């Protein structure tokens, strides 16, 4: 293992200082008139902006409907008040500071509120770049909770972006959790391979850490590629570096209007991921989050057709992806249309074990994008 000097700044840390974080920089970069600044300032004061120079370089600035721009450049639609900030019951599932325990086998740890990029469609808009009130600040206490719950067989360390934690914190999580007998594996939730791949391939200290602990317990990085144009030489390099150190990389996409709500685009994404040995396991229905609901959600009826057509373009591995929604009741698989006005769903994970694996049919209007909280499976 290499020896690193304390306090030495790596290239990726210097690059973070070049991120676009304010309206003035954004307008300069997009060559927008100064009058536009006020509009962006208003949005950014509510929901922060951070765009890495790398991710910005993926934007086609000549395309007003560019899908990459939609995911990183603030939109006035974020100021609409509809929706809510906690659409899947995260508050009620928080059992310890920063530790959520909704499904029997899985504990989720909010490790940071920092991301390399603040995705405009984020479902934790209530906290990214903002409050740290919901975060776990004591790794040992999170580990103690997991040890005291032997039914927990895996942890998801997330945020914000788990790989935006300093290496010293990541090391603490790894050293504590790889020692816990009841854990089968550890997952890190991170969009860094997509938005800031340099943070991985320029940081041998991080890669050495992963390699060291992957020999003790399986480690996964669960990332979020949403568009085939995010699969670049840089993001491929980040994924390959992780894989070469024994880390398994998996993908969860979000179905987003104007980004990937086209079977050919989604199909190309799934194929690109399987080619990279990154198994795509979920396509999430975008949640009705305040600031997101109005402009990113795709109706369920349309969504299921898009996903089915995209899956038809895949081999068996690509077809294994599931179209799901993270509902307060559990993770619900969206199976398809059953008869006129009705759709078929199945609980993939359930907060209430008695309802586990239940299949149900319910009325769904053409423009419906979510299921009511009080749904009653039959
Ligand atoms: S990286 Fe993840 S947590 Fe951070 S803003 Fe994007 S979607 Fe949200």
């Amino acid at each position: 293992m290499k020896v690193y000097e304390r306090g030495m700044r790596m290239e990726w840390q210097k690059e973070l200082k070049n991120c676009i974080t304010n309206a003035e920089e954004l307008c300069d970069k997009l060559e927008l008139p100064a009058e536009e600044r006020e509009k962006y300032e208003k949005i950014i004061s509510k929901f922060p902006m951070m765009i890495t120079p790398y991710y910005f370089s993926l934007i086609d600035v000549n395309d007003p409907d560019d899908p990459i721009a939609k995911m990183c450049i603030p939109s006035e639609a974020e100021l609409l008040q509809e929706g809510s900030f906690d659409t899947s019951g995260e508050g009620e599932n928080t059992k310890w500071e920063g530790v959520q325990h909704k499904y029997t086998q899985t504990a989720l740890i909010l490790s940071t509120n920092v991301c390399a990029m603040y995705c405009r469609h984020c479902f934790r808009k209530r906290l990214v770049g903002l409050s740290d009130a919901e975060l776990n600040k004591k790794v040992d206490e999170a580990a103690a909770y997991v040890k005291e719950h032997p039914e927990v067989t895996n942890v998801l360390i997330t945020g914000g972006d788990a790989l935006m934690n300093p290496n010293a914190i990541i090391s603490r999580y790894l050293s504590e959790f790889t020692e816990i007998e009841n854990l089968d594996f550890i997952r890190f939730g991170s969009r860094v391979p997509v938005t800031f791949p340099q943070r991985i391939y320029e940081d041998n200290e991080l890669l050495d850490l992963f390699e060291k602990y992957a020999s003790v317990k399986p480690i996964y990085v669960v990332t979020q590629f949403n568009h085939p144009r995010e699969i670049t030489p840089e993001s491929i390099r980040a994924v390959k570096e992780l894989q070469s150190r024994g880390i398994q990389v998996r993908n969860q996409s979000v179905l987003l209007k104007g980004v990937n709500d086209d079977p050919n685009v989604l199909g190309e994404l799934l194929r690109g991921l399987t080619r990279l040995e990154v198994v795509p396991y979920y396509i999430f229905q975008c949640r009705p989050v305040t600031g997101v609901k109005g402009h990113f959600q795709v109706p369920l009826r349309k969504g299921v057709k898009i996903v089915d057509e995209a899956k038809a373009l895949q081999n068996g591995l690509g077809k294994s992806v599931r179209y799901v929604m993270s509902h307060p009741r559990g993770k619900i698989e969206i199976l398809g249309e059953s008869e006129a006005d009705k759709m078929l769903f199945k609980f993939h994970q359930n907060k209430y074990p008695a309802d586990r694996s239940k299949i149900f049919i319910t009325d769904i209007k053409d423009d419906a994008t979510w299921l009511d909280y009080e749904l009653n499976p039959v």
Side-chain angles (χ1 to χ4, degrees), residues 28-125:
D28 283 353
K29 284 274 185 192
L30 293 173
E31 298 180 7
L32 295 173
E35 306 87 78
E36 292 278 304
R37 268 188 217 162
E38 206 178 315
K39 173 180 96 181
Y40 287 113
E41 272 161 8
K42 202 168 158 195
I43 310 163
I44 295 167
S45 68
K46 192 154 187 224
F47 301 119
M49 173 181 70
M50 176 106 131
I51 312 172
T52 59
Y54 161 76
Y55 199 81
F56 190 87
S57 76
L58 304 183
I59 296 174
D60 176 357
V61 289
N62 297 314
D63 178 0
D65 295 318
D66 183 62
I68 303 294
K70 281 202 163 76
M71 286 186 274
C72 64
I73 293 184
S75 146
E76 279 181 311
E78 293 175 46
L79 299 175
L80 299 173
Q81 292 301 310
E82 56 183 344
S84 86
F85 281 115
D86 179 4
T87 58
S88 54
E90 295 205 300
E92 68 190 42
N93 295 316
T94 299
K95 307 297 180 193
W96 193 257
E97 188 186 65
V99 181
Q100 296 178 24
H101 193 180
K102 180 175 184 180
Y103 305 126
T104 309
Q105 295 87 356
T106 304
L108 182 151
I109 296 160
L110 292 183
S111 65
T112 177
N113 62 352
V114 175
C115 304
M117 183 177 98
Y118 295 125
C119 310
R120 307 325 298 178
H121 57 271
C122 180
F123 77 88
R124 293 205 179 105
K125 252 176 138 69

Side-chain angles (χ1 to χ4, degrees), residues 118-376:
Y118 295 125
C119 310
R120 307 325 298 178
H121 57 271
C122 180
F123 77 88
R124 293 205 179 105
K125 252 176 138 69
R126 67 181 188 275
L127 67 88
V128 292
L130 295 167
S131 164
D132 68 355
E134 294 181 53
L135 304 184
N136 169 253
K137 297 174 188 90
K138 293 185 181 141
V139 178
D140 54 342
E141 290 188 4
Y145 179 90
V146 173
K147 271 185 222 158
E148 283 160 17
H149 291 81
E151 72 277 16
V152 174
T153 58
N154 71 96
V155 287
L156 171 61
I157 301 161
T158 184
D161 194 309
L163 295 191
M164 289 307 287
N165 280 301
N167 290 348
I169 300 289
I170 294 172
S171 175
R172 290 264 344 257
Y173 278 113
L174 286 168
S175 64
E176 291 272 359
F177 287 109
T178 50
E179 288 299 312
I180 299 176
E181 269 184 39
N182 45 301
L183 288 184
D184 295 338
F185 58 87
I186 295 158
R187 284 180 288 170
F188 285 85
S190 173
R191 200 151 136 75
V192 152
V194 183
T195 60
F196 193 30
Q198 296 79 0
R199 194 272 179 264
I200 294 170
Y201 64 69
E202 284 178 0
D203 193 338
N204 267 311
E205 184 183 43
L206 174 73
L207 292 166
D208 286 348
L209 268 176
F210 273 146
E211 186 169 21
K212 174 180 166 188
Y213 288 104
S215 66
V216 185
K217 239 181 234 298
I219 299 170
Y220 291 79
V221 167
V222 179
T223 192
Q224 187 197 122
F225 283 91
N226 291 325
H227 193 280
R229 271 176 40 212
E230 293 177 328
I231 303 176
T232 64
E234 289 85 353
S235 60
I236 290 172
R237 188 174 162 197
V239 167
K240 294 284 172 206
E241 287 284 357
L242 288 169
Q243 291 167 334
S244 74
R245 302 301 189 105
I247 304 303
Q248 305 199 44
V249 185
R250 296 286 184 270
N251 194 72
Q252 305 180 343
S253 300
V254 189
L255 187 64
L256 297 168
K257 188 160 80 184
V259 174
N260 56 15
D261 58 339
D262 173 311
N264 292 319
V265 171
L266 197 58
E268 195 186 331
L269 173 68
L270 296 175
R271 189 173 168 208
L273 290 167
T274 47
R275 197 186 294 128
L276 246 183
E277 300 174 71
V278 174
V279 176
Y281 71 115
Y282 290 138
I283 296 169
F284 278 105
Q285 176 67 3
C286 181
R287 305 179 196 207
V289 172
T290 308
V292 174
K293 175 180 163 64
H295 59 303
F296 278 120
Q297 281 196 302
V298 177
L300 289 162
R301 282 185 177 281
K302 188 177 172 194
V304 84
K305 286 193 183 117
I306 293 167
V307 173
D308 274 352
E309 282 180 43
K311 283 170 75 167
L313 303 171
Q314 312 304 312
N315 63 15
L317 212 55
K319 277 190 173 68
S320 66
V321 72
R322 291 167 196 260
Y323 179 33
V324 296
M325 68 166 72
S326 277
H327 193 270
R329 290 282 295 262
K331 197 165 273 137
I332 299 174
E333 186 171 359
I334 305 154
L335 293 173
E337 293 186 321
S338 57
E339 51 195 282
D341 301 331
K342 295 192 188 300
M343 284 182 71
L344 192 62
F345 300 85
K346 179 179 182 182
F347 276 110
H348 180 60
Q349 291 260 40
N350 203 306
K351 186 174 168 177
Y352 309 102
D355 284 343
R356 207 172 274 158
S357 302
K358 263 196 178 165
I359 293 176
F360 61 98
I361 295 172
T362 192
D363 290 340
I364 296 290
K365 295 199 176 102
D366 281 351
D367 59 354
T369 53
W370 203 246
L371 291 169
D372 293 338
Y373 182 76
E374 295 300 339
L375 74 104
N376 190 21

